[in-house]
Amino acid sequence: QTTFNWKMTNAYGPGSPFYVEGPGSPTDFCKKVTAMSDGRINIQHFAAGELIPALEGFDAVRSGAVEMNAANAYFWAGKLPAAQYFTTVPFGLNFQGMNAWLYHAGGMELWDELYAPLGLKALPMGNTGVQMTGWFRKPIESVADFKDLKMRIPGLAGKVYAALGVDVKLLPGGEIFPALERGVIDAAEFVGPYQDRRLGLQNAAKYYYTTGWHEPSNVTELLINQAKWDSLPADLQAIVQTAAMACNLESHTWCEANNAAALKDLVENSGVIANVLPDEVVAELKTVTDKVLAEGAAADPATKKVHDAFMAFKAEHQSWAAISEKPYHNLPG
Amino acid sequence: MPFTEILALCMIGAFFIFLLAGIPVAVCLGVTGLVFGYVGFGPMLFSLLPARIFGVITNYTLLALPLFIFMGIMLEKSRIAEDLLEVIGLAMGGLRGGMALAIILVGVLMGAASGVVGATVVTVGLIALGPIINRGYDAGVACGVICASGTLGQIIPPSLVLILLADIMGESVGTLFAAALFPGLLLAGLFVAYVLLLGVIRPDAVPAIPAEERALYTGRDLAVKLVKVVLPPIALIVLVLGSIIGGVAAPTEAASMGALGSIVLALLAGRLSYPVLRDAVRGAFITSAMVFLILIFAQPFGLAFRGLGGERLVQDAFAVVPGGLNGQIFFLMLLLFVLGFFLEWIEISYIALPLFLPIFMQSGVDMAWIAILVAVNLQTSFLTPPFGWALFFLKGVAPPSVRTGDIYRGVIPFIGLQLVGLALVFSFPGLATWLPGAIGW
Amino acid sequence: MIPVIEKIANGASGIVRHIGRIAAWSGLALVLLVAFNVLSRYLFSYGTVALQEAEWHLMAVGALFGMSYGLNQGAEVRVDILYARMPARLQALINLISALLMCAVALIITWLCIAYVQSSYSINEGSPDPGGLGHRYVLKAAMPVAFAVLAIQAVAMTGESLLALLRPRPGTSSS
Ligand code: NA
Ligand code: NA
């Protein structure tokens, strides 16, 4: 019987909860796979910087030097613009909708189709659930408050904010705190209460806005070298798929369980003011988002195909959510 | 012991032999890494090497390095720095070690402006090493003061080490910045005390400016000279620090304010000509290149150490540590210190820390305190011969008359002082834990 | 023999010197660019993603082409505890070995980098951030080019140390 000794790199640094350590995390995935296969497949995990820098996993898996990488597909936006749709889309799908699309409505097939020419395969392996809008030094009362606001915000959301007059600043994770604390930037987006508290952002800005219009959920991507995947016997493939699916559920529920306590702690013990963005602001963000997404789809045929499929499913899913989840949330607690 | 771990040990051994034979550091790193890595696991892992190199050259936090180096060289080439330390020496009057104290002060200020060790050591080395040796300082003492002061930047916030440790240890960056402040100042205080002590027991190693020369200046002359000569460089440091504190620039970007300021100063002093600018540009380029050359060639070595399972050597050793939290802390400190002899600090953090984290987290000990102990220890590793980064960087800018031996000899007392500082933080955890609690970070 | 080596060494060294003198100005450009980004953001809330990315693009180019120019100008760092006490010819021998090894390492890395660039070029890699600098493979292509230039510098150093070994000892001929 062959034993498979594989390597997995990760886009996040050592010790990061959810992204590296903890229930349903990539290291947990490696443990699960070893246990389920009785040691026939062992995956050695390397956090960002241990073997390669954070964002080099895509090329590393493609070259076959490592077999797997854990990251978010939107990190590959410069390589495959359509990949962003497999992490999150502003005003897109929440945890339930995203998984419904991926597992049952053609999402996985489109993902495979996008990656196959590069000899890659991906599986969803985690989800943060809905994120927070971010931290602001001043309250946001109208769209005019975005004018000349300096904000750390990467990716598509940055483009949307920029259209509303925000001055977008790129900063590595570690510099967010000193820059926000001293007012070099006026606002910053990171993840959610549990992760943001680790960075100490509550000591730098007090206005904490919700909801994560820009990241209504966020899929952790397990990237696999296709040739290496094909070399696995069918039972081990099934184990990897099942472990990834287990992590997808376990990581999300872990976030749900921890964010509540973290946000409560931030509000009660750090004087954080948690607030929902005004409706007028959200409406404007939505208008600009539609425009930005349409531009992206027009520029790249592969993106257009994924975009159209995603939006078609979103409409369908929302019609169901509108009569199921939404009224339920409005019931008296 | 598996074959690959034996190879990892052989790689370290071969590296030392190459290094002692006088082969340039970059070549030692590159060759041992490629050869032993290839023997251990063939060519596949090395296809990751370009990714690692790309990571170094595009690492945003390293931006401060060329910027600060530019500032230092501009000050040197435009001769603005030339009189700086002499005037400080004059102003210190008959106090022996005055110029060394000035260097420590500059180290603290630059440390507060930057977190990149190479930048501070190289800048202070460029500005100060020549002048104080000309003033009759013992070369070893001069080098030791510069290296030790230059590495203060790693503990005085903001600092790259603290940002990385915050990430690994799950503490907020702000907490660690606050926790590091007093230990950093404590170290600076120990350095000051040592220099003052040297003034008493080895007066010829740290001479004051001769009384005859001081007599040439009246107090008024000196005051005028002080303002004219000392103010501009101090203004630069204030500009850098001020742009961080005033919310103008993020810590890394702030270095650009100093670099731009140095050009403006040279212009105001009427010393900015094309030849001066050209020489400064080339000089800064060469000095930055020296640092990047070592960082880039360290990549095959680090990749091979990882690929050969070097971290398992550490795990094996840890398995036999006698129990008790203090025993484990002591082992961690010893391990970091030893690894510091041959590995870069980032590599050390990634290899050693994850092993210990679960144990410390379960024991309920204050992780900020552990992080500061680690940071002080890593800072010491910049100074440990033969592979302290600070030593290489200073050697790169030292006058030819300064031998590696002078540098090694000079840093030993400072390594001792660092260990004293470490022991103090260990014995009095409040040094690290009080401030974050007091300001609510 | 000696004139040929001399010619090769000087030629190689000259190439590196010319490239380095041009690349050196990236340092000044970097200072001005970062300062511009800081000041324009602070004073006018003006900034673009492309100009921010240009910061580390400039640093990367400077770091890459600085390697060869730095060595060309004698900026290598070594532990000279034993080296400083060695006779000149032994020093030259060590320099010869070092230069040959440097050349080999530089060529290996050049070769490794080519696949890395091809992988980027094949998918027309750009910036992951909207508004960032496109054509990332151009920046990546600077890697093999810079290591090839480093190999040329190593050839120059090989030649120089060979000359030091082949030439008559200064003590015996010049007096
Ligand atoms: Na610092
Ligand atoms: Na060291």
Side-chain angles (χ1 to χ4, degrees):
Chain A
Q1 231 176 14
T2 323
T3 303
F4 293 84
N5 291 308
W6 280 15
K7 294 185 193 65
M8 179 199 280
T9 46
N10 192 319
Y12 292 88
S16 313
F18 178 88
Y19 294 108
V20 176
E21 304 279 349
S25 68
T27 51
D28 188 29
F29 166 83
C30 298
K31 281 186 208 125
K32 283 180 161 67
V33 167
T34 303
M36 289 161 82
S37 68
D38 195 22
R40 284 170 58 216
I41 173 161
N42 297 298
I43 306 169
Q44 196 185 358
H45 178 273
F46 296 92
E50 291 184 343
L51 204 57
I52 48 172
L55 302 182
E56 295 293 330
F58 188 91
D59 290 310
V61 174
R62 218 182 136 193
S63 76
V66 302
E67 289 81 4
M68 288 177 161
N69 180 67
N72 301 114
Y74 64 7
F75 292 153
W76 324 134
K79 305 170 194 285
L80 291 171
Q84 299 175 88
Y85 284 79
F86 300 102
T87 301
T88 189
V89 177
F91 293 100
L93 292 162
N94 63 3
F95 175 76
Q96 285 152 292
M98 195 68 187
N99 285 306
W101 180 58
L102 288 172
Y103 290 133
H104 307 292
M108 284 304 309
E109 287 79 0
L110 283 170
W111 206 351
D112 286 344
E113 191 182 313
L114 182 69
Y115 281 10
L118 302 178
L120 295 168
K121 169 181 182 56
L123 293 171
M125 187 181 47
N127 201 313
T128 61
V130 65
Q131 301 204 352
M132 294 291 278
T133 309
W135 299 85
F136 293 76
R137 284 161 62 91
K138 283 173 285 189
I140 297 295
E141 276 147 10
S142 70
V143 177
D145 290 328
F146 283 138
K147 180 91 187 74
D148 290 348
L149 188 87
K150 296 185 274 282
M151 183 169 187
R152 186 265 184 188
I153 174 97
L156 272 178
K159 198 172 178 188
V160 174
Y161 278 120
L164 296 177
V166 168
D167 179 16
V168 172
K169 172 88 186 112
L170 306 176
L171 274 181
E175 289 216 343
I176 301 175
F177 171 79
L180 187 62
E181 204 255 334
R182 300 311 323 164
V184 176
I185 49 175
D186 310 305
E189 183 271 352
F190 192 52
V191 183
Y194 189 86
Q195 310 275 5
D196 294 4
R197 187 177 55 179
R198 271 185 94 224
L199 228 54
L201 298 181
Q202 68 278 10
N203 298 316
K206 289 294 174 208
Y207 296 93
Y208 195 21
Y209 279 98
T210 178
T211 173
W213 63 270
H214 65 298
E215 299 198 16
S217 72
N218 186 300
V219 178
T220 304
E221 174 197 72
L222 173 63
L223 190 67
I224 310 168
N225 180 289
Q226 181 75 51
K228 300 285 171 84
W229 172 258
D230 293 339
S231 75
L232 286 184
D235 63 329
L236 291 185
Q237 287 185 346
I239 283 173
V240 168
Q241 274 168 327
T242 307
M245 204 180 256
C247 287
N248 193 8
L249 175 68
E250 201 175 353
S251 63
H252 175 68
T253 47
W254 183 85
C255 288
E256 289 288 297
N258 282 285
N259 277 330
L263 185 61
K264 188 162 180 277
D265 170 50
L266 286 171
V267 170
E268 287 176 2
N269 302 320
S270 300
V272 167
I273 300 155
N275 236 330
V276 183
L277 280 177
D279 293 345
E280 173 232 354
V281 170
V282 175
E284 188 62 30
L285 288 166
K286 173 80 168 73
T287 310
V288 179
T289 297
D290 289 344
K291 197 167 142 268
V292 166
L293 290 177
E295 279 169 14
D300 175 42
T303 304
K304 174 147 178 49
K305 185 169 182 189
V306 178
H307 172 87
D308 291 349
F310 185 94
M311 290 304 163
F313 181 76
K314 186 186 145 193
E316 196 180 312
H317 180 254
Q318 280 185 339
S319 69
W320 163 238
I323 57 164
S324 58
E325 290 284 321
K326 210 169 184 178
Y328 178 75
H329 283 305
N330 291 336
L331 290 182
Chain B
M1 186 183 278
F3 175 61
T4 54
E5 286 175 43
I6 294 169
L7 275 182
L9 283 177
C10 292
M11 179 171 79
I12 294 165
F15 171 72
F16 273 111
I17 292 168
F18 273 42
L19 204 59
L20 284 175
I23 292 175
V25 179
V27 177
C28 298
L29 285 165
V31 168
T32 50
L34 284 177
V35 169
F36 284 92
Y38 185 82
V39 173
F41 42 68
M44 205 52 196
L45 203 67
F46 282 113
S47 60
L48 300 176
L49 193 53
R52 275 183 83 116
I53 294 172
F54 190 70
V56 171
I57 60 175
T58 59
N59 182 343
Y60 177 81
T61 28
L62 289 179
L63 265 182
L65 196 88
L67 295 173
F68 270 127
I69 288 172
F70 189 95
M71 177 179 95
I73 301 250
M74 195 71 211
L75 287 177
E76 188 214 2
K77 298 276 182 216
S78 63
R79 297 164 169 268
I80 288 173
E82 211 173 62
D83 298 336
L84 170 67
L85 288 154
E86 274 192 30
V87 174
I88 292 182
L90 283 168
M92 295 268 183
L95 181 66
R96 285 185 288 260
M99 290 166 88
L101 295 181
I103 288 174
I104 296 171
L105 180 68
V106 172
V108 170
L109 291 175
M110 281 204 60
S114 134
V116 181
V117 66
T120 323
V121 171
V122 166
T123 311
V124 180
L126 277 166
I127 297 173
L129 189 53
I132 76 166
I133 288 177
N134 291 341
R135 276 290 169 189
Y137 269 64
D138 175 81
V141 172
C143 293
V145 167
I146 291 172
C147 286
S149 308
T151 57
L152 276 176
Q154 283 305 331
I155 184 98
I156 294 175
S159 127
L160 211 53
V161 171
L162 294 176
I163 288 173
L164 185 86
L165 286 180
D167 200 34
I168 297 179
M169 308 190 84
E171 286 291 311
S172 101
V173 174
T175 305
L176 290 199
F177 280 6
L181 188 64
F182 285 124
L185 295 177
L186 171 74
L187 284 178
L190 287 173
F191 297 167
V192 168
Y194 173 69
V195 168
L196 292 175
L197 182 70
L198 268 186
V200 177
I201 59 172
R202 279 183 63 200
D204 53 316
V206 287
I209 296 201
E212 317 78 84
E213 197 174 326
R214 275 182 279 129
L216 293 177
Y217 299 94
T218 65
R220 195 189 149 79
D221 285 346
L222 194 59
V224 172
K225 207 172 154 82
L226 201 62
V227 170
K228 269 169 96 173
V229 179
V230 179
L231 216 55
I234 297 288
L236 278 189
I237 291 168
V238 171
L239 193 63
V240 174
L241 266 184
S243 63
I244 296 174
I245 296 167
V248 178
T252 297
E253 303 171 316
S256 72
M257 295 292 96
L260 182 68
S262 68
I263 300 175
V264 173
L265 277 186
L267 190 69
L268 291 178
R271 285 160 173 171
L272 188 67
S273 59
Y274 174 73
V276 167
L277 186 64
R278 183 197 58 207
D279 290 353
V281 161
R282 286 182 188 167
F285 191 56
I286 292 167
T287 307
S288 306
M290 170 198 76
V291 179
F292 275 114
L293 186 73
I294 294 176
L295 290 178
I296 289 171
F297 274 71
Q299 299 312 312
F301 191 85
L303 186 61
F305 189 83
R306 264 284 156 190
L308 291 171
E311 77 277 7
R312 280 196 298 271
L313 287 171
V314 176
Q315 271 163 339
D316 295 349
F318 184 57
V320 297
V321 176
L325 183 66
N326 282 348
Q328 275 149 350
I329 292 178
F330 181 78
F331 180 75
L332 173 64
M333 293 300 125
L334 188 70
L335 186 72
L336 293 176
F337 191 73
V338 172
L339 286 178
F341 280 98
F342 58 86
L343 278 184
E344 192 200 344
W345 67 270
I346 299 179
E347 217 70 51
I348 299 173
S349 315
Y350 282 144
I351 290 168
L353 292 181
L355 289 178
F356 292 85
L357 284 181
I359 298 160
F360 292 142
M361 281 172 175
Q362 275 161 25
S363 74
V365 62
D366 190 326
M367 291 306 279
W369 175 59
I370 296 283
I372 300 306
L373 288 175
V374 170
V376 174
N377 207 319
L378 285 176
Q379 193 200 352
T380 312
S381 85
F382 292 121
L383 296 174
T384 49
F387 199 67
W389 293 98
L391 313 179
F392 291 154
F393 295 150
L394 185 65
K395 182 71 175 68
V397 294
S401 65
V402 175
R403 296 277 166 87
T404 309
D406 294 327
I407 301 180
Y408 287 0
R409 186 163 50 78
V411 293
I412 288 169
F414 288 92
I415 294 173
L417 291 173
Q418 300 258 15
L419 294 179
V420 171
L422 188 65
L424 285 173
V425 178
F426 178 77
S427 312
F428 306 101
L431 281 169
T433 55
W434 179 77
L435 186 61
I439 59 174
W441 282 11
Chain C
M1 186 65 187
I2 288 182
V4 176
I5 298 173
E6 215 160 34
K7 205 169 169 193
I8 293 174
N10 287 340
S13 180
I15 293 172
V16 172
R17 206 163 46 242
H18 277 101
I19 295 173
R21 282 182 178 171
I22 296 166
W25 291 94
S26 67
L28 180 63
L30 180 67
V31 170
L32 297 177
L33 176 66
V34 180
F36 172 81
N37 283 344
V38 168
L39 293 174
S40 69
R41 183 186 64 234
Y42 185 70
L43 297 174
F44 312 110
S45 288
Y46 172 82
T48 69
V49 170
L51 282 180
Q52 292 176 55
E53 287 194 349
E55 292 177 358
W56 51 263
H57 278 67
L58 272 175
M59 177 175 78
V61 171
L64 284 172
F65 289 94
M67 293 189 297
S68 48
Y69 186 64
L71 289 179
N72 188 282
Q73 302 293 307
E76 81 241 313
V77 178
R78 66 169 97 231
V79 171
D80 64 0
I81 291 188
L82 299 177
Y83 180 85
R85 301 195 180 114
M86 292 174 187
R89 292 179 77 82
L90 185 54
Q91 286 185 348
L93 184 66
I94 289 197
N95 287 341
L96 177 66
I97 295 169
S98 303
L100 286 170
L101 289 173
M102 172 64 90
C103 190
V105 173
L107 288 175
I108 291 170
I109 298 181
T110 307
W111 179 72
L112 289 170
C113 284
I114 289 173
Y116 186 65
V117 178
Q118 273 170 345
S119 164
S120 173
Y121 180 75
S122 69
I123 52 174
N124 190 20
E125 185 179 7
S127 167
D129 265 299
L133 294 173
H135 311 295
R136 177 105 353 134
Y137 51 84
V138 176
L139 178 67
K140 289 184 173 177
M143 291 167 61
V145 175
F147 278 98
V149 177
L150 184 62
I152 295 176
Q153 171 59 28
V155 167
M157 290 160 77
T158 307
E160 281 154 20
S161 41
L162 260 183
L163 288 174
L165 279 174
L166 293 175
R167 277 187 180 134
R169 297 177 193 220
T172 52
S173 66
S174 61
S175 62

